[in-house]
């Protein structure tokens, strides 16, 4: 098979992913999943893994995405393992992937994507999806500490530093607090957090606190 033909299969696979035709993406790359060429096998596996993830077939997704990430130094690949392992119920494996994703970022001078704060945000959502709320809270704590250290919640300031908007993190916080239940003092946590932020951030967190009280 010529290189151009091979590239066509991968192009079709990525286009199918973009168009949410996940079954089509898997079909497009199926001939290359067991290729003797490591590069072909890796790209095919990544497309197939992402497609299976989008279909909710998390163990299959994890199988392919772990093969892509193993031995590599790409934070994005380990992030894919992190989310697929978590959604597949392999929580400890997800934790190990988190550590490796963070290591890839630090080793690269924080030049890769997604950034560590976004990794933590998406990981918190995945943990909420599988009702691991205490673990999700730990990720929320890490994010809160970052905002507190900066003290600035301006969206442009955060965006240019690869940090989620405070509003996005508070969506995750609401899920975490709901999962932890009434035994957790979410109002007190929010009050303490708000004190560390600028005026705009304090106002927003107070609004979140009020909304949660009315749920």
């Amino acid at each position: 098979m010529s290189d151009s033909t091979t590239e066509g299969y991968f192009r079709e696979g990525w286009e199918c992913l973009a168009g949410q035709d996940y079954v089509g993406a898997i079909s497009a790359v199926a001939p290359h999943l067991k290729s003797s060429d490591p590069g072909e096998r890796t790209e095919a596996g990544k497309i197939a893994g992402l497609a299976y993830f989008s279909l909710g077939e998390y163990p299959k997704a994890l199988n392919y995405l772990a093969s892509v990430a193993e031995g590599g130094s790409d934070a994005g690949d380990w992030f894919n393992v992190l989310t697929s392992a978590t959604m597949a119920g392999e929580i400890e494996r997800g934790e190990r992937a988190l550590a490796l994703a963070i290591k890839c970022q630090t080793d690269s001078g924080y030049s890769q994507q997604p950034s560590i704060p976004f990794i933590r945000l998406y990981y918190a959502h995945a943990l909420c999806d599988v009702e691991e709320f205490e673990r999700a809270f730990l990720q929320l704590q890490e994010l809160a500490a970052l905002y507190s250290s900066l003290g600035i919640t301006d969206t442009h300031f955060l965006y240019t530093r690869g940090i989620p908007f405070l509003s996005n993190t508070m969506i995750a916080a609401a899920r975490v607090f709901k999962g932890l239940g009434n035994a957790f003092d979410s109002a007190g946590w929010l009050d303490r957090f708000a004190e560390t932020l600028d005026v705009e951030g304090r106002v927003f967190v107070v609004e979140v606190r009020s909304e949660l009280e009315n749920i």
Side-chain angles (χ1 to χ4, degrees), residues 82 90-100 123 135 139:
L82 162 66
E90 296 194 33
I91 306 303
E92 296 299 332
R93 189 173 182 181
E95 290 280 355
R96 292 193 295 272
L98 171 65
L100 288 167
Y123 183 34
R135 291 178 187 265
Q139 299 308 311

Side-chain angles (χ1 to χ4, degrees), residues 112-133:
Q112 300 181 358
Q113 295 295 329
S115 66
I116 292 175
F118 272 100
I119 288 173
R120 293 193 183 281
L121 177 64
Y122 297 139
Y123 183 34
H125 276 295
L127 287 166
C128 286
D129 286 342
V130 296
E131 300 185 353
E132 288 280 347
F133 299 110

Side-chain angles (χ1 to χ4, degrees), residues 14-184:
W14 288 115
E15 289 174 352
C16 285
L17 276 180
Q20 299 183 7
D21 177 10
Y22 305 121
V23 173
I26 295 166
S27 297
V29 300
H32 304 283
L33 290 172
K34 294 184 179 181
S35 171
S36 59
D37 183 304
E40 287 185 21
R41 194 167 60 247
T42 295
E43 186 162 4
K46 189 168 187 175
I47 293 170
L50 294 172
Y52 278 120
F53 185 91
S54 297
L55 289 169
E57 297 188 40
Y58 303 117
K60 287 184 179 179
L62 176 58
N63 181 54
Y64 286 112
L65 294 172
S67 294
V68 170
E70 284 296 337
S73 57
D74 185 83
D77 288 341
W78 284 111
F79 169 72
N80 290 335
V81 176
L82 162 66
T83 50
S84 57
T86 302
M87 295 303 292
E90 296 194 33
I91 306 303
E92 296 299 332
R93 189 173 182 181
E95 290 280 355
R96 292 193 295 272
L98 171 65
L100 288 167
I102 291 174
K103 183 178 187 302
C104 289
Q105 279 287 20
T106 55
D107 288 350
S108 70
Y110 305 99
S111 62
Q112 300 181 358
Q113 295 295 329
S115 66
I116 292 175
F118 272 100
I119 288 173
R120 293 193 183 281
L121 177 64
Y122 297 139
Y123 183 34
H125 276 295
L127 287 166
C128 286
D129 286 342
V130 296
E131 300 185 353
E132 288 280 347
F133 299 110
E134 291 185 1
R135 291 178 187 265
F137 178 66
L138 295 177
Q139 299 308 311
L140 177 61
Q141 289 276 66
E142 292 284 351
L143 288 167
L146 177 58
Y147 293 113
S148 296
S149 69
L150 296 171
I152 301 172
T153 60
D154 174 75
T155 54
H156 178 72
F157 176 87
L158 296 176
Y159 175 79
T160 57
R161 288 160 177 78
I163 302 171
F165 296 157
L166 181 60
S167 57
N168 292 335
T169 297
M170 287 297 98
I171 290 172
R175 296 188 68 194
V176 172
F177 296 151
K178 182 178 179 181
L180 292 175
N182 294 331
F184 180 77

